[in-house]
Amino acid sequence: MASTAQAPARQVAGQAVVPFLRLQSVVKKFGDAIAVDGVSLDIAKGEIFALLGSSGCGKSTLLRMLGGFEEPTSGQILLEGQDLVRLPPNERPVNMMFQSYALFPHLTVWDNVAFGLRRDSLPKDEISQRVDKMLAMVQLTPYAKRKPHQLSGGQQQRVALARSLVKRPKLLLLDEPLGALDKKLRERTQLEVVDIIHQVGVTCVMVTHDQEEAMTMATRIGIMSEGQILQVGRPGDIYETPNCTFVADFIGSVNLFRGKVTEDEADHVIIDTPECRHYVSHGITGTPDMEVHVAIRPEKIGIQEQAPGPDDYDNPGEVGFNCARGTIRDLAYLGSQTIYHVVLETGSVVKVTKANDARHDESRLTNGSAVHVWWWGSDLVVLTD
């Protein structure tokens, strides 16, 4: 099934506004293997759009087609209405920043940033003005005369970004932009890169396998699997309302229960699973006896020794539902939170995340503790796929 993530064109003064970047039924085959399978996607001007997926899902191939380094087997790639498919990379108003940065080791920082402008034979005064302005924006003016090997990883990353932006592309492509940095530096650099991109006002498509990076940097995310885009949405929407079990399981941690719908009303649904009866405090598009998955995030689960009472739920109708007994098998204290793995009476394992919001937690929960885990019906997501 081809993946589609198009929005209808907006109307302004009675005329349709063409999306800034539009992919229409893009397919890429390598022999008999389909790397990208009928992807359609609209991206607005000024967005930072992240393609997120595991290795081999087709995200890098899709990015390379945007850059002109691969040609689609079929389909269109339209930038402001212009089809880019037949244009070579050097004729596209597109710049791509690679994970390796590809800086010239023999050139200074200033000359690395100026390289593309010199190849375009721009006047010397304009080159100097644009390079100086860009180095100031990425806070590297004091390092202009240094060589790449004299810089930290984060500084090299900013040089590569400056070189990509100084030519003022309409579209910036980032291929695992922070993958070469260590975790702490990557976290600090994410917001810096977003700020720079917003200052320049360029539209950006980035590829990453790092969920946290995509959630932190992107305006919207497209989740890819086996060459298709399964869901497109803002980070919060993708996390809170996944449209299938793959997306729910891929983004963050999730507990999934498989069962059947036993009561289907407009304002609530009851789903029976081996672990417990789930009261979902909203309607779904379903039918009685329909097989579904119930998804609940670990941080939305309560854990305590005593059974939850009416005051613990947000809806009195949930009393007697959304609760299971078990035993803590493992726990991990991570400073800001504690992660519990609870083995239920059915043998299923539920993951619970509890914020450590007090310095001295009087909780007596340890390995082997008998506990109840419970959750609100409003936090449940019902998935049919």
Side-chain angles (χ1 to χ4, degrees):
M1 180 179 65
S3 53
T4 303
Q6 285 182 284
R10 294 183 292 112
Q11 296 287 328
V12 176
Q15 296 183 342
V17 177
V18 177
F20 182 75
L21 176 63
R22 167 166 282 183
L23 283 68
Q24 293 184 318
S25 304
V26 174
V27 173
K28 178 61 181 178
K29 295 181 179 179
F30 295 100
D32 294 331
I34 302 176
V36 176
D37 189 6
V39 168
S40 294
L41 176 68
D42 286 350
I43 295 174
K45 189 171 185 177
E47 268 199 288
I48 300 178
F49 189 93
L51 292 167
L52 177 63
S54 54
S55 298
C57 70
K59 61 186 187 298
S60 292
T61 301
L62 192 56
L63 197 76
R64 290 179 61 81
M65 285 191 284
L66 292 175
F69 303 103
E70 297 285 355
E71 185 173 322
T73 304
S74 60
Q76 288 185 306
I77 299 174
L78 305 170
L79 185 65
E80 292 189 314
Q82 178 188 12
D83 195 345
L84 301 181
V85 168
R86 305 300 174 194
L87 288 179
N90 63 306
E91 294 182 17
R92 299 186 183 201
V94 178
N95 258 7
M96 187 166 181
M97 181 179 136
F98 297 94
Q99 181 179 354
S100 64
Y101 307 148
L103 299 177
F104 298 108
H106 62 289
L107 298 181
T108 65
V109 167
W110 201 98
D111 288 329
N112 263 283
V113 177
F115 183 83
L117 300 180
R118 286 172 170 161
R119 290 199 63 181
D120 291 344
S121 301
L122 267 63
K124 289 185 178 180
D125 287 348
E126 183 178 352
I127 292 175
S128 180
Q129 182 182 14
R130 285 167 65 168
V131 172
D132 289 344
K133 182 179 179 180
M134 188 55 62
L135 287 178
M137 185 176 292
V138 299
Q139 300 177 16
L140 288 175
T141 300
Y143 305 90
K145 295 183 179 181
R146 293 193 185 184
K147 300 287 182 66
H149 73 273
Q150 296 174 307
L151 303 177
S152 68
Q155 290 167 338
Q156 291 181 33
Q157 187 269 343
R158 279 184 279 157
V159 175
L161 182 61
R163 187 178 61 181
S164 297
L165 291 173
V166 75
K167 292 187 68 175
R168 298 173 182 170
K170 290 183 178 180
L171 181 65
L172 175 66
L173 307 178
L174 303 179
D175 186 7
E176 301 280 2
L178 309 179
L181 306 181
D182 62 64
K183 187 177 188 301
K184 280 195 173 182
L185 182 57
R186 187 165 66 245
E187 291 173 352
R188 187 168 69 245
T189 306
Q190 287 166 358
L191 295 178
E192 292 178 358
V193 171
V194 170
D195 287 342
I196 293 167
I197 290 172
H198 284 321
Q199 285 181 57
V200 175
V202 69
T203 304
C204 175
V205 178
M206 60 179 287
V207 154
T208 181
H209 67 278
D210 188 314
Q211 300 170 27
E212 184 177 323
E213 186 169 284
M215 301 280 280
T216 301
M217 297 180 65
T219 312
R220 287 191 303 152
I221 298 173
I223 306 296
M224 288 197 71
S225 177
E226 297 182 351
Q228 298 185 350
I229 294 181
L230 301 183
Q231 185 173 359
V232 171
R234 295 175 300 178
D237 295 335
I238 294 279
Y239 184 82
E240 298 292 354
T241 56
N243 65 357
C244 63
T245 54
F246 180 90
V247 173
D249 195 36
F250 187 79
I251 293 291
S253 296
V254 72
N255 297 289
L256 291 170
F257 306 96
R258 186 171 182 83
K260 288 186 178 181
V261 175
T262 56
E263 186 174 322
D264 184 12
E265 300 294 341
D267 64 342
H268 74 274
V269 178
I270 293 177
I271 298 169
D272 284 353
T273 71
E275 294 78 14
C276 73
R277 302 193 77 197
H278 303 265
Y279 184 103
V280 184
S281 54
H282 54 80
I284 65 170
T285 303
T287 57
D289 295 328
M290 182 179 184
E291 290 195 355
V292 296
H293 280 93
V294 182
I296 182 75
R297 297 290 184 184
E299 71 275 10
K300 302 183 190 303
I301 298 179
I303 181 170
Q304 58 196 42
E305 291 180 305
Q306 69 275 20
D311 293 339
D312 291 316
Y313 291 101
D314 66 340
N315 184 336
E318 297 177 26
V319 176
F321 297 89
N322 301 342
C323 180
R325 293 186 298 180
T327 304
I328 297 175
R329 182 177 69 184
D330 295 299
L331 64 85
Y333 176 80
L334 303 179
S336 63
Q337 62 184 13
T338 299
I339 299 175
Y340 299 91
H341 290 88
V342 179
V343 180
L344 304 183
E345 294 176 340
T346 59
S348 300
V349 178
V350 170
K351 183 178 180 180
V352 183
T353 302
K354 182 178 179 294
N356 297 321
D357 48 14
R359 184 181 178 192
H360 298 289
D361 188 355
E362 301 301 326
S363 171
R364 295 173 294 168
L365 300 182
T366 60
N367 279 334
S369 291
V371 293
H372 292 78
V373 291
W374 56 277
W375 46 88
W376 289 359
S378 57
D379 288 330
L380 293 171
V381 177
V382 181
L383 304 169
T384 58
D385 182 13

